[in-house]
Every structure is written in structure tokens, then in C-alpha cells.
Amino acid sequence: MLTRKELEQRYWRYYLMLEKRFKESIEYVELHKDNYNAFSNGYALMIQSIGAELDTVFKEFCGFNTEDRKTIENYAQYILEEDPAIINRIIVLQGYDMEIQPFKTWNIEHASQSLQWWFAFTKTKHNRFNQLKHANLENVLNILGALYMIEMMYLKKITNDTQDVDIFDERSELFKIKGWETRTISMQDIVAMTY
């Protein structure tokens, strides 16, 4: 298992870059439910990048070798048994009156078809031109939210039996998990950490 610092360096910084790209796209297509069906090659690029990263982070989270060929079925089996509450977790979009539940429909029997955004990722990966309509705002938003949630869950898993804080040094500017509790750090510890 990775350390907090390794997770931050290997995956969280990349997540923040993906989030920044998504936020830049909002300058052109407003983040609103009325625009959920808007699709583009830019969204196809984002969904493919985010999906590939999520596949790797899924492997890390589940304790699989990142070189192994694993499927969404393998991830569902592990994650839904370890933390079935994932389907009820809600992500609040900061600065927007919106919430999403990326894993709400996930089930073990139909792991790949039960997540619309994963289905969109695989469709656009294998045939982008003919499946471009799947590369839409709603799917990009939800796959990015899924990546965010898995990284937050992994951070909590890593720091669970340690004295380390369970927040990243740089936080998401877009997402926050509703009701997510973190360990706080005292002002005395903050002063001791500064140099």
C-alpha cells in the first residue's frame, strides 16, 4: 500500500490537473443539467484520460498489481464488498447548486453497464467517432467525481491506522463529499510543522 505522500505525488497531483482541465471547459459549456448532453472531442479526450487514470487508481485501491489486466467487474467485487456505502455517497459541487452520485447504480452483476460513465469511457475508447455522443458533460463530470471519490477513500484507507492527516495538502476546488469526516490537526501541530 502507498503512503499518503506517495498517493499525493503519484495520483492526486494528476487528479488536480484533470480537474483543472475540466474546470476550463466550463468556460465554454456551463456546468448545468440542461447541458448534460453536450458532447465533443474535447470531452472524449477528457473521459479517456480520466478513465485510464481511474483504472489505475482502482487497481491500487483494490491492492491489485497495476500491471495486471483487471476489469470493472474485479473492482466492483472488491469495492462493493469492502465499502457498500459507496453507492450512497454524494459529491457536492462547490460553487454550484448541484450534487452527483457517481456510484449510485453500481452493482456486481452488471458492473460495466450499471455505471453510465464507465460504459461511455469504454465506448469512446474503442470507437470514439461513432460513440462521440457518450463523451458528454454528464459522463465527464461523473467519471471525474468517481476518480475524486476513490482517491479520497484511498487516502482514508492509507491513513486509517496512522497519525497522518487524511486530507491532501491541496484540496479539490470543485468537489466535496457530503458528510465526509476528516481528522483535524491542532494549531500546535501546524506550528511544529512549519519551518
Side-chain angles (χ1 to χ4, degrees):
M1 190 178 316
L2 300 176
T3 66
R4 176 185 175 275
K5 194 51 93 179
E6 288 170 333
L7 177 62
E8 194 157 35
Q9 291 171 344
R10 292 182 191 181
Y11 299 108
W12 185 248
R13 287 182 187 165
Y14 191 71
Y15 164 80
L16 290 173
M17 185 176 68
L18 293 168
E19 179 182 285
K20 181 181 176 196
R21 291 237 172 110
F22 177 72
K23 286 180 67 186
E24 289 168 356
S25 78
I26 297 170
E27 294 177 24
Y28 304 99
V29 179
E30 183 61 31
L31 185 51
H32 191 278
K33 289 180 181 181
D34 289 349
N35 293 330
Y36 270 5
N37 289 327
F39 63 93
S40 70
N41 280 313
Y43 285 151
L45 181 62
M46 278 191 253
I47 207 167
Q48 289 174 24
S49 298
I50 297 164
E53 182 69 0
L54 182 55
D55 187 47
T56 302
V57 175
F58 270 146
K59 287 177 187 171
E60 284 281 358
F61 181 83
C62 296
F64 301 138
N65 185 324
T66 54
E67 303 300 317
D68 290 349
R69 291 181 59 91
K70 295 292 181 181
T71 65
I72 192 75
E73 286 78 14
N74 300 119
Y75 310 142
Q77 187 76 38
Y78 179 90
I79 294 169
L80 290 172
E81 286 181 9
E82 181 175 284
D83 190 356
I86 192 172
I87 63 172
N88 299 317
R89 287 210 180 94
I90 297 169
I91 296 176
V92 176
L93 278 75
Q94 299 180 74
Y96 296 88
D97 187 24
M98 296 175 71
E99 297 177 342
I100 59 172
Q101 282 182 268
F103 293 100
K104 183 179 182 176
T105 57
W106 207 16
N107 68 66
I108 293 173
E109 291 80 32
H110 305 287
S112 62
Q113 291 87 8
S114 62
L115 296 174
Q116 176 183 323
W117 46 265
W118 188 266
F119 180 77
F121 163 60
T122 57
K123 285 291 187 187
T124 57
K125 179 173 72 171
H126 295 297
N127 192 344
R128 180 189 46 80
F129 180 75
N130 288 330
Q131 302 296 328
L132 192 59
K133 285 191 176 188
H134 291 287
N136 61 42
L137 175 60
E138 181 178 19
N139 286 329
V140 175
L141 175 64
N142 278 284
I143 199 168
L144 183 64
L147 178 60
Y148 167 79
M149 187 177 291
I150 291 296
E151 291 200 27
M152 294 299 292
M153 290 170 59
Y154 194 31
L155 177 61
K156 203 169 266 297
K157 183 178 180 179
I158 287 169
T159 59
N160 191 33
D161 294 325
T162 71
Q163 294 299 314
D164 215 344
V165 294
D166 57 357
I167 56 173
F168 290 108
D169 291 344
E170 187 177 346
R171 296 185 187 176
S172 168
E173 294 179 1
L174 184 62
F175 296 132
K176 186 169 70 175
I177 301 173
K178 195 176 207 173
W180 193 254
E181 294 182 16
T182 59
R183 271 195 306 271
T184 57
I185 195 167
S186 71
M187 286 304 291
Q188 194 173 27
D189 290 338
I190 292 172
V191 171
M193 287 174 22
T194 47
Y195 33 114

